[in-house]
Amino acid sequence: MDFWPIVVWISRPGARFCRAAHGRFAQKLMKDLFTNYTNALRPVEDTDYIINVTLQVTLSQIIDMDERNQILTTYLWVRQVWMDAFLTWKKEDYDGLDTIRIPSSYVWRPDIVLYNSADDEFSSSMETNVVLRNDGQVMWDQPAITKSSCSVDVAFFPFDVQQCDLTFGSWTHNGNQMDFTSLMNVLTKPNNFSNQVLGMPAKKNVILYGCCSEPYPDITFSLHLKRRASFYIFNLLIPCMMISFLAPLGFYLPADSGEKVSLGVTVLLALTVFQLLVAESMPPSESVPLIGKYYIATMTMVTASTALTIFIMNIHHCGGEARPVPEWAERFILKYLARICFVYEVGENCLGGARKEPLSQEGSDSPSANGGSTKGANWDVNGKAWGGKVEVEPLKVEQEVTNQTDWKEDLFVTIDHSQEKGAAGVRGEKSNCGEQEKKGELGKNVEYIANSYQDQRAAQLRIGEWRKVAKVMDRFFMWLFFIMVFFMSILILGKAV
């Protein structure tokens, strides 16, 4: 019963003794390594030797991509590995101790900096420990938040692919003193809402600067970023396309509504606001972004449609004093183009009612055999058809009828022949000369009214023809601009594919 507690009591001091001995050997190793060690000089036995530094960069996160100022902010894990000739030991002499971890300030460190750094403080890295191996290998893992300059090309924004370079190299050691090799870079699937990381290959460069004759090597990590375009499609492109499709509808508005020009100006102002939003986020450069070109093309189209609307409205409001429609316009616009654009005859309403034919001008006034006026035509008078001729004889007045009618181009003229003495016996009381004078004066009045009506009718026909020309032009430009907007939208969306 008492055996097990004795065994346990004996084994515990043994474990404590091993750990204590291991710690004493580590302290002894530290004292032996750094007694005559200095971290100010390169750790090589011969100054002509080149120290080789292996550099590995892991991209952990893209913090920010400031396209306006062209600055890329990233969170990196930087690993540097080199051999220190003065930090070697035999692990048998130190109880099998092969690695130790000490502060990085105790050992010599390469003066590797980011050449294209845009950070004004230069203090974004952390002071971490280094791992020493018994063969003299020193491994230093260091997290760092870097700000680097990145030349942004916005020619295909928002469907662009950017390449941002991270160039690392020694600030004071040339290629005869320090050389670089690169390991395979690791991407930890950095999470960024606006850019997708495609890769980060590394390339070694040896550059001869004008100040010095020695070569200076460096390693450039090229970060390839593809923009996530869904945000810009739903917030910039689709609203612009919807507004653009409103511009051709200005041609469909009736000319008498008074809102045709207002619609074009409103669409133009809306596109200007979107253009300013894009311009504020883009860096000032000579290359115009793709979405900017789309906005400029759309604004040009809206401006042209507004100008054409003003021109067509001027044609629509041509008065009766306008000249008749030219023959070529009547043949090309009123016949062929009207059929293509599905525009029907003048006077047809939106419900598709039949057009009322104009009155025939074949049956014009002609003197009759007895000196009266005769009209041979078919007329629509007071809602009823009237056919045949109406003759006015200057010397014949019906005794049984007190009113005489005369017809002239849809006019219904009533002539009152009742006198103070009554209808009976008037022929004998008036002379033939007075009757002729009255009838002649009445005929002139009727003829003047008929001519005025004919002029008004001709003016209305001219106005109707010009309005039809304006309507056909409205429909033609509406379909033309619809096709232009459609193809422009297909082209801009084709870049995304």
Side-chain angles (χ1 to χ4, degrees):
M1 296 294 295
D2 297 333
F3 177 77
W4 292 105
I6 294 174
V7 174
V8 174
W9 179 78
I10 293 175
S11 61
R12 286 182 179 176
R16 293 178 180 176
F17 176 77
C18 293
R19 293 191 185 96
H22 203 73
R24 287 197 300 268
F25 280 111
Q27 292 180 359
K28 182 177 182 300
L29 177 61
M30 282 285 297
K31 183 178 180 181
D32 294 342
L33 288 177
F34 293 97
T35 299
N36 296 320
Y37 182 83
T38 177
N39 59 0
L41 300 176
R42 287 188 309 123
V44 291
E45 297 178 352
D46 190 349
T47 56
D48 294 335
Y49 290 169
I50 299 176
I51 187 170
N52 190 9
V53 178
T54 302
L55 185 64
Q56 181 181 6
V57 176
T58 301
L59 178 63
S60 177
Q61 183 181 2
I62 298 176
I63 299 177
D64 184 30
M65 179 65 177
D66 189 357
E67 297 176 350
R68 183 72 177 177
N69 299 317
Q70 302 190 22
I71 295 177
L72 174 66
T73 305
T74 55
Y75 178 50
L76 305 176
W77 297 343
V78 182
R79 169 173 290 184
Q80 303 177 44
V81 181
W82 67 92
M83 300 298 295
D84 195 321
F86 304 119
L87 296 179
T88 60
W89 71 91
K90 294 181 180 180
K91 61 182 180 179
E92 294 83 6
D93 298 339
Y94 297 93
D95 195 24
L97 186 63
D98 56 352
T99 58
I100 59 173
R101 289 163 177 81
I102 59 175
S104 60
S105 59
Y106 288 5
V107 300
W108 175 89
R109 294 175 296 182
D111 57 342
I112 296 178
V113 296
L114 181 62
Y115 280 175
N116 58 334
S117 175
D119 194 353
D120 52 354
E121 295 182 358
F122 289 98
S123 59
S124 57
S125 59
M126 285 181 60
E127 292 292 334
T128 57
N129 292 339
V130 296
V131 180
L132 295 182
R133 289 177 50 181
N134 61 331
D135 58 353
Q137 184 188 63
V138 183
M139 184 174 63
W140 184 24
D141 290 334
Q142 180 188 25
I145 296 177
T146 62
K147 291 184 178 181
S148 58
S149 60
C150 178
S151 180
V152 180
D153 185 11
V154 294
F156 294 96
F157 175 86
F159 309 110
D160 52 339
V161 177
Q162 304 296 334
Q163 177 179 340
C164 297
D165 296 333
L166 301 172
T167 303
F168 293 91
S170 175
W171 193 253
T172 58
H173 297 89
N174 55 44
N176 298 326
Q177 299 171 340
M178 184 185 300
D179 196 8
F180 295 100
T181 58
S182 175
L183 295 177
M184 182 182 299
N185 301 309
V186 180
L187 299 177
T188 60
K189 296 182 180 180
N191 185 15
N192 187 263
F193 70 95
S194 61
N195 293 284
Q196 178 185 358
V197 180
L198 301 179
M200 193 174 65
K203 180 182 179 182
K204 179 182 177 180
N205 304 309
V206 179
I207 301 176
L208 293 174
Y209 294 97
C211 63
C212 312
S213 59
E214 297 85 2
Y216 281 84
D218 63 63
I219 294 181
T220 300
F221 299 90
S222 298
L223 181 60
H224 297 278
L225 302 174
K226 182 179 180 180
R227 191 185 307 275
R228 301 182 189 272
S230 59
F231 173 81
Y232 302 96
I233 290 176
F234 285 100
N235 290 277
L236 292 179
L237 278 181
I238 293 182
C240 177
M241 292 177 184
M242 296 173 66
I243 294 175
S244 301
F245 275 101
L246 290 177
L249 291 178
F251 293 106
Y252 193 74
L253 278 177
D256 297 330
S257 64
E259 299 294 334
K260 295 172 71 70
V261 179
S262 301
L263 178 61
V265 174
T266 304
V267 172
L268 188 61
L269 291 177
L271 291 175
T272 304
V273 173
F274 280 100
Q275 174 68 18
L276 291 177
L277 291 177
V278 175
E280 288 179 357
S281 60
M282 293 294 99
S285 61
E286 294 183 357
S287 60
V288 181
L290 184 64
I291 189 173
K293 295 178 181 179
Y294 178 72
Y295 281 159
I296 293 298
T298 306
M299 292 171 65
T300 304
M301 185 193 67
V302 174
T303 303
S305 66
T306 306
L308 288 172
T309 299
I310 297 174
F311 173 73
I312 294 173
M313 287 183 64
N314 190 18
I315 295 177
H316 176 82
H317 291 286
C318 284
E321 67 277 1
R323 296 181 299 177
V325 178
E327 184 179 356
W328 64 269
E330 183 177 358
R331 180 181 306 172
F332 177 71
I333 298 178
L334 298 183
K335 291 184 179 180
Y336 299 103
L337 199 59
R339 296 177 182 175
I340 297 175
C341 299
F342 304 102
V343 178
Y344 302 99
E345 294 295 332
V346 178
E348 184 173 9
N349 55 17
C350 59
L351 298 178
R355 176 182 178 271
K356 181 180 177 181
E357 296 292 335
L359 296 177
S360 175
Q361 301 293 331
E362 295 178 358
S364 60
D365 291 345
S366 60
S368 60
N370 53 5
S373 65
T374 305
K375 178 68 180 179
N378 294 329
W379 302 306
D380 185 9
V381 181
N382 294 336
K384 299 181 179 180
W386 178 273
K389 298 182 179 179
V390 177
E391 297 182 358
V392 179
E393 297 182 2
L395 298 180
K396 181 178 180 181
V397 179
E398 296 292 338
Q399 296 180 358
E400 298 178 356
V401 182
T402 58
N403 294 334
Q404 179 180 355
T405 59
D406 192 9
W407 305 89
K408 186 76 171 180
E409 286 284 348
D410 289 347
L411 283 179
F412 182 63
V413 182
T414 302
I415 305 169
D416 189 5
H417 292 281
S418 61
Q419 305 295 330
E420 294 84 357
K421 295 181 180 181
V426 294
R427 184 181 299 271
E429 296 180 1
K430 289 191 175 182
S431 63
N432 294 335
C433 181
E435 187 69 25
Q436 283 184 350
E437 291 179 358
K438 276 197 170 186
K439 294 298 293 182
E441 184 179 356
L442 182 60
K444 291 180 180 180
N445 293 334
V446 172
E447 184 178 1
Y448 174 75
I449 295 173
N451 292 334
S452 299
Y453 178 77
Q454 287 181 354
D455 294 339
Q456 183 180 3
R457 182 75 176 194
Q460 290 179 353
L461 289 176
R462 287 196 299 270
I463 293 174
E465 289 179 350
W466 282 113
R467 287 186 176 182
K468 183 179 179 181
V469 170
K471 186 176 181 181
V472 172
M473 294 179 66
D474 268 335
R475 295 297 186 273
F476 171 74
F477 285 115
M478 182 188 71
W479 291 114
L480 178 63
F481 279 88
F482 264 130
I483 294 173
M484 291 174 60
V485 172
F486 177 76
F487 278 105
M488 287 171 55
S489 303
I490 291 298
L491 289 176
I492 191 70
L493 291 178
K495 297 294 182 179
V497 178

